[in-house]
């Protein structure tokens, strides 16, 4: 995308207006005209930076993935610096993602809500989107190397179910008895996202009396699936 003549401040203003509009309408309802009205801009100013709505959606997606990934990375760095166990690191990073999700509900919905009809995310979104699973994979890998994982009672996959990209992200497939730990890690990742969808979209508020405590509990239960103990009751670092 050619943005010659435009400044970073211009792009920030347009994306800021788009984020404000996202909080009012769904991503499917986002239009360049609506963004211009929301930000007090002209349509020409918006089109100079984002000629098509899909280019603006892509920029918003990349920002959301990068911001949420950075929040998790920062939390993990703090936990590592404090000498936290892998389980405590997992709790810290998932709490960080939860905090980001509630503070940026519109962006969370853009990333994890219903697909936008007619929009297909380009390859540019893949590296930013990989930051969240990369943080989780790094913690699981560290737990494995430190002997903090409990071997599963049985291996659930006779043959690997993984694509090469997942193997590369984790850094290879461990040997027995942890040969399916990557698949189990993907279950943990999907459980985290599903839990956040339930909480951000108010699906658990009428089922539990303390959603924050329930989140920690659910992460601990999901972590048991990969043999990792999450120390509940501790204050996460970061």
């Amino acid at each position: 995308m050619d943005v010659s003549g435009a400044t970073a401040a211009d792009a920030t203003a347009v994306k800021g207006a788009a984020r404000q509009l996202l909080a009012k309408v769904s991503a499917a309802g986002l239009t360049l005209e609506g963004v211009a009205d929301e930000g007090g801009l002209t349509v020409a100013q918006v089109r100079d930076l984002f000629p098509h709505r899909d280019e603006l959606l892509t920029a918003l997606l990349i920002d959301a993935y990068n911001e949420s990934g950075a929040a998790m990375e920062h939390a993990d760095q703090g936990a590592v610096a404090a000498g936290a166990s892998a389980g405590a690191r997992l709790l810290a990073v998932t709490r960080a993602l939860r905090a980001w999700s509630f503070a940026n509900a519109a962006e969370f919905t853009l990333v994890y809500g219903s697909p936008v009809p007619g929009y297909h995310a380009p390859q540019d979104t893949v590296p930013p989107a990989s930051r969240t699973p990369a943080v989780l994979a790094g913690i699981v890998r560290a737990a494995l190397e430190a002997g903090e994982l409990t071997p599963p009672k049985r291996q659930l996959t006779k043959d690997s179910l993984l694509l090469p990209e997942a193997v590369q992200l984790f850094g290879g497939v461990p040997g027995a008895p942890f040969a399916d730990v990557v698949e189990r890690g993907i279950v943990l990742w999907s459980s985290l996202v599903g839990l956040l969808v339930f909480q951000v979209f108010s699906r658990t508020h009428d089922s539990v009396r303390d959603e924050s405590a329930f989140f920690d509990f659910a992460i601990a239960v999901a972590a048991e699936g990969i043999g990792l103990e999450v120390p509940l009751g501790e204050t996460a670092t970061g």
Side-chain angles (χ1 to χ4, degrees), residues 18-82:
R19 292 174 75 160
Q20 291 174 1
L21 188 59
L22 273 181
K24 301 176 183 179
V25 302
S26 68
L30 191 74
T31 65
L32 299 185
E33 293 77 11
V35 171
D37 288 342
E38 184 70 24
L41 306 165
T42 67
V43 176
Q45 286 175 305
V46 177
R47 289 190 184 277
D48 280 344
L49 284 156
F50 304 101
H52 304 286
R53 179 212 63 169
D54 287 4
E55 291 176 315
L56 179 54
L57 280 176
T58 295
L60 295 175
L61 271 173
I62 289 173
D63 283 354
Y65 280 129
N66 279 328
E67 290 173 11
S68 58
M72 295 178 71
E73 290 162 0
H74 176 73
D76 194 35
Q77 290 164 4
V80 170

Side-chain angles (χ1 to χ4, degrees), residues 31-232:
T31 65
L32 299 185
E33 293 77 11
V35 171
D37 288 342
E38 184 70 24
L41 306 165
T42 67
V43 176
Q45 286 175 305
V46 177
R47 289 190 184 277
D48 280 344
L49 284 156
F50 304 101
H52 304 286
R53 179 212 63 169
D54 287 4
E55 291 176 315
L56 179 54
L57 280 176
T58 295
L60 295 175
L61 271 173
I62 289 173
D63 283 354
Y65 280 129
N66 279 328
E67 290 173 11
S68 58
M72 295 178 71
E73 290 162 0
H74 176 73
D76 194 35
Q77 290 164 4
V80 170
S85 66
R89 287 172 60 187
L90 179 66
L91 190 58
V93 302
T94 55
R95 283 175 173 176
L97 183 59
R98 181 179 188 269
W100 180 89
S101 300
F102 275 96
N104 301 274
E107 290 78 7
F108 174 86
T109 303
L110 175 64
V111 173
Y112 296 114
S114 300
V116 179
Y119 173 75
H120 302 283
Q123 282 295 112
D124 291 354
T125 62
V126 174
S130 298
R131 292 176 72 170
T132 289
V135 172
L136 300 177
I139 292 172
V140 175
R141 169 62 70 178
L144 180 64
E145 293 174 350
E148 294 183 46
L149 291 186
T150 300
K153 294 180 180 179
R154 61 190 177 102
Q155 184 174 328
L156 298 177
T157 57
K158 180 179 179 181
D159 300 306
S160 176
L161 301 173
L162 300 172
L163 292 172
E165 293 82 0
V167 175
Q168 181 179 7
L169 183 68
F170 190 74
V173 177
F178 297 105
D180 62 358
V181 72
V182 183
E183 286 95 338
R184 290 171 180 268
I186 295 172
V187 173
L188 172 64
W189 175 27
S190 59
S191 297
L192 167 62
V193 173
L195 177 61
L196 288 172
V197 168
F198 259 55
Q199 294 211 329
V200 174
F201 298 159
S202 298
R203 296 293 188 266
T204 55
H205 75 281
D206 56 356
S207 300
V208 300
R209 58 182 175 83
D210 187 334
E211 290 191 87
S212 179
F214 181 79
F215 177 85
D216 290 356
F217 166 80
I219 292 300
V221 170
E224 287 183 346
I226 57 172
L228 183 61
E229 181 180 351
V230 172
L232 296 182

